[in-house]
């Protein structure tokens, strides 16, 4: 009851201009629709951090280290076994030689089985090649992680033996490395920035476009279906004001939605970087962005979302029913994912030439802001072209709305 | 404000709120309204009578600027339906066939929306809200979502919206259809009152008794055509029938009943 009166008071306090009143009604209508609010804002805000982190959480060796079975037939292989046993990233269990290793891995009793043959040490000492037999399951993440950990230990141990062998023979170890690489990156990018540049543009892009979808379809096709549009058309308000009011209402709602969801992404992402760092065995780095970078990301996301909403309004007005509008908007959302994925794989120079494309432009700008790439002309072209697309979409929406056929299902 | 003066043959000069000339509308392939012409005097309740599918709703939709006529024209208070659509909208109030209420809004909020769009101020909106809601027994439901309303409650609220801004002309598409005796009575009472204050009312109905109670003049529409127009007495004389229902059947069927 109290909340109702509050909304009323806001409505009564509005100036007489129809635009403000139209937006007010859109917001009241949407806020009353708990299911939509829940589906468009609350669910993604909870789901995104979970889905973002779930896979890494399962993969992280600290949380759930690979279970390694060891068949040690050579009692003298202590040095190597100690190396295997020294890492916390896997747990070692000694099992008898009689065990069926394939079966144990298939049934996932162990993720991986390592067999150290009887002649292991003697072959190593006599400058020959010893065989380390490993049984693993390539469809099991923990098994392949275990494999790479064991391989790393094996390489480390092998290098140590090689150096020993060479020094016994009085040979310079450089004999083994005729060529060495010295690489210089043209950009100073931390690993946190690298992951952020890969994921954040994608998430912000998807969210900005999809957050307004349910509101846009509800206020156009939904209103057509509930037959409330007819009264609207008998009121002394021009159709452009109706469309603009609805569009601004949808944009305000999607902005609230996007903001909540981006907070979810950022929270999720901070957990993600630490889990990822743990997985690859590095210390966790957090992403720090300057004020200008954050501002650029925010403005790009806003423009992206406004353009997305304009497009959604356009197709939803065209649709004859709510269901049809929903289908269009889900096709659109999926269709827009493609350019967003493309962004993640193209080098910045290539993207510069595509900056004028709808949706791709602002997403590229977000990525550039994360990577600290600043090009003023890009910024201007990217944002200005988006505004042009936005106006085209709104204008088309208005044209469709002015047609009787689009309003009445004749 | 800009009454249309026209002199029909053999009659005295009359002030018409609405004059309709040969409006025609195709909906898809259906000829929904077929060169319909009629005039509505200022300040009267005018009935648009016709069987289901006759074209009543389509006619009202054209006169309320929701649909554009394919042919013909009409003047509402002197304003051309198509050229001065926004002006027309300023002087009308509408109760459409589907009430067109927002389910998620409360009556109070809906009336704020309409009042504001119609340029009413805060005080006027609040006063009228109280007045009309209590007049139609909806005071207790002031803050209840309209989606939870019964058909009759919705119909009453939609009628309030139609008269809320004191329009000069109100269009009511079957205002009492499907309502119980009490609700229908309340609605008819409000219609008579509004008419008493000088508002021109156009209502569509197939309830003959209701038309007889409320309407000074009626037009009978069938298959998109205006079959006849006049006062109820005039139509009775024309068809030699004693009551309006027989008049109606006579005109629609084109035959005399026993
Ligand atoms: N959207 C539409 N598409 C095609 N034809 C339509 C449409 N709406 C109405 N019609 C047709 O137009 C004609 C007139 O319909 P209208 O709704 O104006 O009748 P009505 O007199 O209001 O009827 P009722 O008393 O049932 O409300 C009917 O033949 C109807 O089938
Ligand atoms: Mg009808």
């Amino acid at each position: 009851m109290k909340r109702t009166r509050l909304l009323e008071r806001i409505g009564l306090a509005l100036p007489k201009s129809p635009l403000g009143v139209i937006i007010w009604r859109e917001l009241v209508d949407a806020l009353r629709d708990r299911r939509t609010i829940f589906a468009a804002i609350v669910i993604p805000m909870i789901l995104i951090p979970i889905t973002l982190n779930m896979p890494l959480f399962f993969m992280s060796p600290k949380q759930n280290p690979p279970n390694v079975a060891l068949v040690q037939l050579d009692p003298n292989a202590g040095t190597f076994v100690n190396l295997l046993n020294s890492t916390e990233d896997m747990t070692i269990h000694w099992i008898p030689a009689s065990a069926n290793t394939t079966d144990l891995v298939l049934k996932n009793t162990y993720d991986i089985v390592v067999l150290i043959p009887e002649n292991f040490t003697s072959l190593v000492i006599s400058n020959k090649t010893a065989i380390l037999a490993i049984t693993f399951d390539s469809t099991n993440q923990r098994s392949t992680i275990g494999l790479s950990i064991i391989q790393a230990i094996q390489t480390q141990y092998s290098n140590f033996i090689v150096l020993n062998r060479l020094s016994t023979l009085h040979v310079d170890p450089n004999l083994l490395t005729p060529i060495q690489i010295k690489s210089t990156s043209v950009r100073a990018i931390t690993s946190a920035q690298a992951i952020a540049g890969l994921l954040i543009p994608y998430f912000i892009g998807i969210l900005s476009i999809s957050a307004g979808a349910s509101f846009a379809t509800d206020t156009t096709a939904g209103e057509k279906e509930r037959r409330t549009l007819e009264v609207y058309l008998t009121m002394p308000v021009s159709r452009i004001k109706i469309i603009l009011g609805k569009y601004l209402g949808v944009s305000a709602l999607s902005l609230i939605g996007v903001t909540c969801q981006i907070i979810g992404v950022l929270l999720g992402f901070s957990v993600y970087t630490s889990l990822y760092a743990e997985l690859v065995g590095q210390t966790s780095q957090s992403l720090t962005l300057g004020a200008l970078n954050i501002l650029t990301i925010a403005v790009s996301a806003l423009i992206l979302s406004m353009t997305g909403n304009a497009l959604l309004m356009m197709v939803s007005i065209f649709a004859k029913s709510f269901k049809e509008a929903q289908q269009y908007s889900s096709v659109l959302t999926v269709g827009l994912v493609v350019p967003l994925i493309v962004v993640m794989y193209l080098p910045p120079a290539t993207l510069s030439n595509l900056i004028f494309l709808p949706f791709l432009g602002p997403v590229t700008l977000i990525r550039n802001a994360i990577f600290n790439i600043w090009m003023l002309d890009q910024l201007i072209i990217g944002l200005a072209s988006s505004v042009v697309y936005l106006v085209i979409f709104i204008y088309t929406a208005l044209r469709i709305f002015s047609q009787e056929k689009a309003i009445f299902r004749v | 404000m800009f009454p249309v003066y026209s002199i029909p043959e053999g009659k005295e000069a009359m002030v018409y709120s609405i004059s309709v000339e040969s409006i025609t509308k195709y909906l898809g392939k259906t000829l929904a309204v077929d060169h319909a012409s009629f005039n509505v005097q200022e300040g009267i309740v005018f009935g648009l009578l016709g069987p289901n599918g006759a074209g009543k709703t389509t006619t009202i939709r054209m006169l309320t600027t929701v649909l554009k006529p394919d042919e013909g024209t009409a003047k509402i208070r002197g304003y051309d339906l198509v050229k001065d659509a926004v002006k027309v909208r300023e002087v009308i109030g509408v109760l459409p066939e589907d009430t067109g209420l927002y389910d998620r809004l409360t009556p109070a909020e809906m009336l704020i929306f309409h009042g504001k769009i119609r340029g009413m101020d805060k005080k006027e909106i609040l006063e009228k809200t109280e007045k009309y809601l209590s007049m139609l027994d909806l005071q207790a439901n002031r803050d209840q979502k309209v989606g939870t309303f019964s058909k009759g409650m919705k119909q009453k609220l939609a009628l309030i919206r139609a008269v809320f801004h004191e329009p000069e002309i109100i269009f009511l598409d079957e205002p009492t259809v499907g309502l119980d005796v009490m609700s229908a009575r309340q609605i008819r009472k409000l219609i008579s009152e509004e008419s008493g204050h000088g508002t021109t009312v156009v209502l569509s109905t197939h309830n003959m008794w209701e038309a007889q109670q409320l309407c000074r003049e009626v037009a009978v529409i069938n298959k998109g055509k205006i079959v006849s127009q006049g006062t109820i007495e005039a139509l009775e004389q024309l068809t030699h029938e004693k009551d309006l229902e027989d008049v109606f059947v006579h005109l629609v069927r084109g035959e005399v009943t026993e």
Side-chain angles (χ1 to χ4, degrees):
Chain A
M1 191 76 102
K2 264 186 203 150
R3 211 164 47 117
T4 306
R5 296 286 171 119
L6 175 69
L7 293 171
E8 269 178 43
R9 246 178 285 150
I10 296 171
L12 283 168
L14 288 170
K16 277 180 191 165
S17 96
L19 205 56
V21 184
I22 292 172
I23 297 173
W24 171 79
R25 197 210 63 79
E26 292 295 331
L27 297 184
V28 174
D29 204 310
L31 291 175
R32 285 284 160 67
D33 185 10
R34 298 246 169 78
R35 293 173 65 94
T36 307
I37 294 287
F38 198 67
I41 296 173
V42 181
I43 297 257
M45 205 177 159
I46 298 168
L47 272 187
I48 292 164
I50 294 177
T51 49
L52 191 61
N53 290 301
M54 191 88 91
L56 283 184
F57 195 75
F58 279 124
M59 276 158 62
S60 176
K62 294 254 162 57
Q63 304 297 335
N64 209 341
N67 220 354
V68 180
L70 184 65
V71 184
Q72 187 182 349
L73 300 179
D74 180 0
N76 299 323
T79 323
F80 184 65
V81 170
N82 280 346
L83 276 176
L84 288 180
N85 209 8
S86 66
T87 174
E88 280 175 15
D89 294 341
M90 53 187 194
T91 49
I92 308 271
H93 309 266
W94 277 262
I95 58 165
S98 57
N100 182 340
T101 55
T102 310
D103 237 36
L104 285 175
V105 175
L106 273 180
K107 288 189 180 137
N108 205 13
T109 316
Y110 297 101
D111 294 310
I112 192 163
V113 178
V114 179
L115 186 140
I116 301 178
E118 213 174 340
N119 56 3
F120 186 80
T121 311
S122 62
L123 284 172
V124 168
I125 290 172
S126 56
N127 287 354
K128 298 239 166 50
T129 305
I131 303 290
L132 191 65
I134 295 177
T135 313
F136 77 108
D137 179 356
S138 55
T139 62
N140 173 355
Q141 273 283 354
R142 280 209 311 254
S143 188
T144 52
I145 290 173
L147 180 63
S148 60
I149 296 172
I150 295 167
Q151 276 169 338
I153 294 171
Q154 172 257 339
T155 309
Q156 191 194 349
Y157 189 54
S158 293
N159 287 346
F160 169 74
I161 295 169
V162 167
L163 285 182
N164 261 345
R165 286 177 181 179
L166 291 177
S167 75
T168 323
L169 296 171
H170 303 290
V171 176
D172 186 346
N174 284 337
L175 181 80
L176 293 182
T177 33
I179 300 172
Q180 214 170 17
I181 290 174
K182 182 177 177 293
S183 60
T184 314
S185 171
V186 292
R187 300 183 206 279
I189 282 174
T190 64
S191 67
Q193 259 175 312
I195 309 170
L198 205 65
L199 293 176
I200 287 185
Y202 173 77
F203 272 105
I204 293 185
I206 301 277
L207 293 179
S208 323
I209 294 163
S210 61
S214 51
F215 302 114
T217 47
D218 192 68
T219 192
T220 50
E223 193 158 329
K224 226 188 273 186
E225 195 157 295
R226 293 190 293 268
R227 306 207 171 246
T228 48
L229 209 51
E230 188 174 338
V231 188
Y232 233 130
L233 300 179
T234 65
M235 296 193 293
V237 186
S238 65
R239 294 194 178 183
I240 177 97
K241 282 202 181 123
I242 297 179
I243 290 287
L244 268 185
K246 284 181 172 296
Y247 170 66
L248 292 175
V250 169
S251 292
L253 288 162
S254 82
L255 200 66
I256 298 170
V258 170
T259 310
C260 293
Q261 292 174 19
I262 285 176
I263 292 169
V265 170
L266 291 179
L267 284 179
F269 186 71
S270 61
V271 181
Y272 186 93
T273 39
S274 58
L275 279 181
Y276 184 79
E278 199 173 84
L279 183 68
V280 298
Q282 291 172 347
T283 48
S284 160
Q285 279 179 315
S286 61
L287 179 72
T288 43
L289 291 171
L292 192 63
N293 305 54
I294 291 173
L295 182 71
T296 310
I297 294 174
V299 171
S300 306
L302 178 69
I303 298 270
L304 186 68
S305 149
M306 299 279 286
T307 317
N309 289 335
L311 182 61
L312 285 167
M313 287 283 291
M314 191 184 94
V315 297
S316 313
I317 285 178
F318 176 76
K320 285 196 170 138
S321 68
F322 191 67
K323 213 171 172 185
E324 193 184 331
Q326 274 181 323
Q327 271 155 359
Y328 290 147
S329 69
S330 57
V331 167
L332 262 183
T333 316
V334 174
L336 291 172
V337 172
V338 178
L340 298 180
I341 292 176
V342 167
V343 168
M344 301 192 293
Y345 292 100
L346 291 179
T350 314
L351 283 172
S352 305
N353 301 325
L354 304 174
I355 199 95
F356 63 90
L357 288 176
F359 306 107
L360 194 60
V363 173
T364 306
L365 292 176
I366 293 173
R367 194 176 96 130
N368 287 355
I370 292 169
F371 287 158
N372 249 324
I373 302 172
W374 298 103
M375 284 179 278
L376 191 63
D377 57 332
Q378 297 274 304
L379 206 63
I380 294 168
I381 298 173
L383 296 181
S385 60
S386 281
V387 173
V388 172
Y389 290 116
L390 186 159
V391 171
I392 293 174
F393 294 148
I394 294 282
Y395 179 74
T396 315
L398 180 67
R399 292 302 300 268
I400 298 172
F401 192 58
S402 307
Q403 293 201 327
E404 227 163 64
K405 272 190 188 160
I407 299 167
F408 280 90
R409 296 194 252 159
V410 180
Chain B
M1 269 164 253
F2 297 94
V4 178
Y5 294 91
S6 68
I7 307 170
E9 270 179 274
K11 286 192 183 167
E12 284 173 35
M14 273 189 203
V15 181
Y16 290 129
S17 260
I18 303 169
S19 63
V20 182
E21 259 177 63
S22 205
I23 53 168
T24 299
K25 185 73 189 176
Y26 279 92
L27 292 175
K29 282 179 185 148
T30 315
L31 180 53
V33 177
D34 184 3
H35 296 89
S37 303
F38 58 91
N39 295 317
V40 179
Q41 271 179 65
E42 196 182 318
I44 67 161
V45 180
F46 184 90
L48 201 52
L49 266 60
N52 291 131
K56 304 182 293 293
T57 298
T58 310
T59 304
I60 289 180
R61 280 186 174 148
M62 283 191 281
L63 297 181
T64 54
T65 75
V66 174
L67 293 177
K68 281 196 184 104
D70 294 331
E71 266 179 60
T73 145
K75 288 226 162 46
I76 310 282
R77 267 280 171 208
Y79 298 118
D80 186 277
L81 211 53
V82 180
K83 276 183 247 149
D84 308 318
V86 176
K87 285 278 176 199
V88 170
R89 289 174 198 151
E90 276 171 11
V91 299
I92 62 171
V94 186
L95 165 58
E97 187 169 46
D98 317 286
T99 51
L101 298 167
Y102 291 106
D103 280 350
R104 296 179 205 132
L105 264 56
T106 65
E109 287 161 352
M110 193 207 70
L111 293 173
I112 290 172
F113 175 59
H114 275 265
K116 281 276 173 182
I117 292 260
R118 296 283 183 177
M120 292 162 67
D121 63 27
K122 182 177 169 173
K123 190 163 159 274
E124 193 185 358
I125 292 175
L126 289 175
E127 279 173 9
K128 288 241 172 98
T129 302
E130 301 307 310
K131 174 187 151 192
Y132 282 115
L133 289 182
S134 51
M135 195 188 277
L136 291 183
D137 282 343
L138 290 172
Q139 192 58 271
N141 313 97
R142 186 188 184 281
D143 299 321
Q144 191 182 328
K145 278 199 229 171
V146 173
T148 63
F149 277 23
S150 72
K151 185 172 164 50
M153 289 158 81
K154 283 187 180 170
Q155 200 77 13
K156 286 193 232 173
L157 184 58
L159 178 66
I160 294 176
R161 184 187 51 198
V163 301
F164 198 64
H165 53 289
E166 293 181 8
E168 293 174 52
I169 305 169
I170 52 178
F171 291 91
L172 312 171
D173 198 347
E174 305 197 25
T176 60
V177 71
L179 299 194
D180 66 40
V181 184
M182 290 307 294
S183 304
R185 208 186 179 119
Q186 279 178 319
I187 284 190
R188 277 195 297 272
K189 184 163 165 269
L190 182 58
I191 294 172
S192 302
E193 275 179 26
E194 292 296 320
S195 171
H197 298 145
T199 311
T200 307
V201 181
V202 176
L203 64 87
S204 81
T205 182
H206 29 223
N207 181 340
M208 295 310 129
W209 180 82
E210 182 170 285
Q212 216 147 14
Q213 295 285 308
L214 285 172
C215 303
R216 170 96 67 82
E217 256 189 64
V218 295
V220 178
I221 183 169
N222 189 33
K223 293 183 182 152
K225 288 194 175 77
I226 300 288
V227 189
S228 191
Q229 187 199 339
T231 59
I232 287 163
E233 302 83 61
L235 292 190
E236 279 171 356
Q237 279 177 13
L238 184 78
T239 53
H240 308 291
E241 299 284 355
K242 277 180 256 35
D243 97 9
L244 189 61
E245 190 161 308
D246 295 333
V247 174
F248 180 70
V249 173
H250 181 122
L251 289 168
V252 167
R253 290 240 187 102
E255 63 189 46
V256 188
T257 48
E258 75 282 7

